[in-house]
Amino acid sequence: MKYLLKTQIFAILITFSWIVYLVVLAFLDQPDRALRCINSFVFGLAIILAVIYFVLTKYLLGRNWSALLLVLISYLLLYKPIFQEILLRITNESYGSIIKFLSLSTGTVHFLAVVIGMGFAILFSRPQVNN
């Protein structure tokens, strides 16, 4: 039960970081800001998030491949739609349309960052020895 709680907390952390990722990209996507460099920001933030997911997975979840499925399923089916709806309700229409566009266009990049970060962390973690 404790492990299931850890995976759900981790899925909520991933969803919250995705929301922050979208807000930062929407802020930078404004015409008077860094519009020319938005692709660099998309991939740069995704690499930073993949490293964060690697570290968190390695120390919180350890070497258990079922964690990847538990986190991804709850992230994609439950937390991502709920958090995105909350974010769209608290923003105005123009900012909300930018966030909708960015969520569609960068969703796969963030998903790959999650899978790569968690996958490598599980792969490179030491097996837990039960005494």
Side-chain angles (χ1 to χ4, degrees):
M1 192 64 160
K2 189 176 181 182
Y3 187 72
L4 184 62
L5 183 65
K6 281 184 179 180
T7 58
Q8 297 310 300
I9 289 172
F10 193 75
I12 290 172
L13 285 173
I14 288 174
T15 309
F16 184 70
S17 66
W18 179 70
I19 293 297
V20 171
Y21 176 74
L22 285 178
V23 169
V24 167
L25 288 178
F27 177 74
L28 295 174
D29 196 31
Q30 301 297 322
D32 56 338
R33 293 188 183 91
L35 184 60
R36 295 167 291 165
C37 306
I38 194 70
N39 286 335
S40 303
F41 287 121
V42 167
F43 294 114
L45 287 172
I47 290 170
I48 291 169
L49 286 176
V51 171
I52 291 170
Y53 300 150
F54 175 84
V55 172
L56 286 174
T57 303
K58 189 169 182 170
Y59 292 110
L60 288 178
L61 301 177
R63 187 180 184 112
N64 194 347
W65 286 101
S66 65
L68 186 63
L69 290 176
L70 288 172
V71 169
L72 289 179
I73 289 172
S74 59
Y75 163 69
L76 291 173
L77 297 179
L78 184 64
Y79 301 121
K80 185 177 175 183
I82 291 172
F83 276 62
Q84 183 176 358
E85 188 64 35
I86 291 170
L87 178 65
L88 291 175
R89 284 187 184 177
I90 63 174
T91 59
N92 60 16
E93 278 188 40
S94 63
Y95 202 65
S97 64
I98 293 170
I99 288 175
K100 282 182 187 177
F101 171 73
L102 288 171
S103 69
L104 290 174
S105 62
T106 63
T108 55
V109 173
H110 184 258
F111 180 74
L112 287 174
V114 171
V115 171
I116 290 170
M118 286 186 69
F120 278 117
I122 293 170
L123 189 64
F124 292 120
S125 293
R126 291 186 178 165
Q128 295 177 351
V129 178
N130 296 330
N131 291 333

